[in-house]
Amino acid sequence: MTSPHAEPPPRIVATDLDGTLLTTAGTVTARTRQALQTARAAGAEIVFVTARAPRGVREIAEQTGVTGLAICSNGALVYDLATDEIVESHPLDPIPARRVAAALAEALPGIGLAVETGRNILTEAAYTRRIAQDLASYREVSSVFEENAPIVKLLALSSGHTADEMVTAVVAAIEGLAEVTHSGGTGLLEISAPGVTKAGTLDRLCAARGVTSGEVVAFGDMPNDLAVLTYAGAGYAMANAHHLVLAATEHRTLSNDEDGVAAVLERLYG
């Protein structure tokens, strides 16, 4: 039982999905599901904060019983889980997007481009990456910029480089034009509008609820989670996290395959 003088538990649980809440097999364990339910019963709001588009979040929300709003596409979208509606969108403007694409092509010849629109993915021929559960959402086009579709995320794929190498190669060239990050995909960069991050969108959601950053506990494993882990009063890096995340965070938990999120939630809300 919590003592009368103990600090109240966090009001918001902000968690990444892949490599964090989900196992390597992409599932939610019974222990994690129960821990989320325990946190909700204690009054906490669960907010998924993910690189995934809305279509990749619905099933997980159903599995876990999580409702409310989810932050998708690295902060570019806010998605209402109950109504299946995108309620906030911060796309990349086409003009700087073209400049970013030109800088990428110069720094990384042979790069393949795709655009996440929020509802589907437009891909050029050189963008060969496919996610199994998203196969119905891909549409190949001659140029991602000819479709006049919202550029929720510009995706850049290179078969000859790691994502860390790609960031190093292009970050100076596109500084100020866009946010560039990655979530561990081999040779894959994720590019958003300037100022659009998971943490920025989470901050607006918290402000609307009168919640301070100190009342947030967060979980993540990849560089695109770093801003959120730094923002939260307590940001936990998974044991399986990227080396940059482990180096930059104070708190640790078990790996995603060891129910690392659940282990912390059980302690906070149990």
Side-chain angles (χ1 to χ4, degrees):
M1 181 178 293
T2 304
S3 75
H5 304 292
E7 287 190 14
R11 293 173 62 188
I12 286 185
V13 176
T15 180
D16 176 48
L17 296 179
D18 296 283
T20 301
L21 191 74
L22 306 182
T23 67
T24 302
T27 61
V28 180
T29 69
R31 180 183 176 187
T32 291
R33 191 178 303 112
Q34 180 59 55
L36 291 171
Q37 292 171 0
T38 298
R40 291 185 72 201
E45 180 176 358
I46 312 298
V47 180
F48 294 153
V49 187
T50 178
R52 289 187 179 213
R55 62 182 173 276
V57 177
R58 287 195 300 267
E59 183 181 350
I60 297 164
E62 291 169 2
Q63 287 179 32
T64 56
V66 170
T67 58
L69 299 179
I71 295 170
C72 299
S73 299
N74 288 336
L77 300 176
V78 178
Y79 173 60
D80 190 317
L81 295 166
T83 64
D84 188 29
E85 292 181 353
I86 293 169
V87 296
E88 191 177 314
S89 180
H90 304 280
L92 179 59
D93 187 87
I95 294 175
R98 286 178 180 272
R99 292 172 62 190
V100 168
L104 289 166
E106 182 175 350
L108 301 160
I111 202 164
L113 297 179
V115 160
E116 171 61 62
T117 71
R119 292 298 183 186
N120 57 26
I121 307 170
L122 307 177
T123 68
E124 296 180 1
Y127 189 92
T128 55
R129 182 175 186 262
R130 297 291 184 270
I131 299 173
Q133 63 266 31
D134 262 359
L135 287 179
S137 300
Y138 289 93
R139 183 160 66 88
E140 190 167 320
V141 296
S142 57
S143 168
V144 293
F145 299 114
E146 292 176 359
E147 298 295 309
N148 200 29
I151 305 173
V152 170
K153 280 196 304 184
L154 180 64
L155 303 169
L157 182 70
S158 173
S159 59
H161 302 83
T162 66
D164 288 331
E165 290 168 344
M166 293 171 73
V167 170
T168 301
V170 305
V171 68
I174 65 176
E175 187 175 4
L177 292 174
E179 297 289 335
V180 57
T181 189
H182 68 87
S183 51
T186 303
L188 180 69
L189 293 188
E190 302 173 45
I191 300 155
S192 305
V196 171
T197 65
K198 289 182 174 185
T201 305
L202 177 62
D203 182 53
R204 288 193 297 276
L205 185 148
C206 287
R209 288 154 172 72
V211 174
T212 68
S213 61
E215 297 173 294
V216 177
V217 61
F219 301 90
D221 70 314
M222 283 294 161
N224 64 333
D225 298 314
L226 258 177
V228 168
L229 297 179
T230 304
Y231 169 82
Y236 285 84
M238 310 303 291
N240 52 287
H242 188 281
H243 65 91
L244 291 176
V245 177
L246 292 170
T249 53
E250 176 185 354
H251 300 289
R252 302 278 187 280
T253 187
L254 301 172
S255 75
N256 61 318
D257 287 327
E258 298 170 305
D259 293 300
V261 173
V264 175
L265 296 184
E266 288 163 357
R267 177 168 53 80
L268 291 174
Y269 301 99

